[in-house]
Amino acid sequence: MPGTGFHAVVLAGGRSARLGGTPKARLSRDGRSLVRITVDAVDAAAAVVVVGPEDLDLPGGVLRTREDPPFAGPAAGIAAGLAALAPLPPVPWTMTLACDMPGVAAAVAGLRAAAAAGPAADGLVAVDAAGHRQPLAALCRTPALRAAYAGARPSGRSVFSMLRGLVLQEVAVPEDATADVDTWDDVRRHRLS
């Protein structure tokens, strides 16, 4: 698919406050951590950077970075990921994903298929069956995403506020593709341990 090369920024550095501080990234299903499930979902990426603690078990070749300051929120995490990817050869697209969606592979597939169709939009954002947009399951044109973050102070800001100036095309994804893990009930529902 010409023109659909991408980098991926995987966010894995939250406090997991509603889980009593148990790191979501380390929860597992069938022997694979949530961060590993997410990284595996973007195995076609030219490069992947995980924004989170240094002690996460990641496959070789995955870049690591941390938002500054730590726990400054997902927008700050994306900014840190973009900075880590900046020295690499440019690619047309950059995907942003939270690591707490066990079914994320379906969202990745849907976003990549929509990008292959050559949309006129600045980016693509996953939308679940209830119509909720998930900015942490998105694929944006790299120049547009970098421009949205240029000169901004993302610490403590929402991702949607950072993307406000971009035209985002909604991409319908299967119901569980963006279902995230926030509570212990979610942990049980997704069969995680």
Side-chain angles (χ1 to χ4, degrees):
M1 290 184 271
T4 59
F6 71 105
H7 286 157
V9 176
V10 175
L11 303 178
R15 291 187 192 273
S16 301
R18 288 181 275 183
L19 293 177
T22 298
K24 293 182 193 181
R26 290 189 181 97
L27 294 171
S28 66
R29 178 194 285 167
D30 300 328
R32 287 192 313 153
S33 67
L34 281 180
V35 71
R36 185 63 183 254
I37 289 169
T38 309
V39 168
D40 289 349
V42 291
D43 65 350
V48 178
V49 60
V50 172
V51 183
E54 291 182 17
D55 61 350
L56 291 174
D57 182 27
L58 300 174
V62 173
L63 302 171
R64 298 169 186 260
T65 194
R66 187 72 179 172
E67 71 274 24
D68 185 25
F71 308 115
I78 292 170
L82 290 173
L85 293 166
L88 301 179
V91 292
W93 298 90
T94 299
M95 187 171 290
T96 54
L97 297 172
C99 79
D100 65 348
M101 298 178 285
V104 73
V108 170
L111 291 166
R112 291 189 65 213
D122 296 318
L124 307 159
V125 61
V127 178
D128 67 18
H132 299 114
R133 294 172 127 205
Q134 177 48 272
L136 299 180
L139 183 60
C140 292
R141 293 186 187 279
T142 301
L145 185 61
R146 287 192 175 282
Y149 277 81
R153 292 187 166 177
S155 183
R157 290 183 57 186
S158 74
V159 175
F160 274 132
S161 74
M162 298 299 295
L163 303 179
R164 185 172 290 129
L166 301 185
V167 175
L168 299 176
Q169 177 182 313
E170 295 183 351
V171 176
V173 297
E175 183 176 341
D176 285 342
T178 58
D180 59 356
V181 177
D182 286 325
T183 67
W184 289 109
D185 285 340
D186 296 335
V187 170
R188 287 185 285 276
R189 188 177 82 245
H190 290 291
R191 301 179 317 279
L192 300 168
S193 58

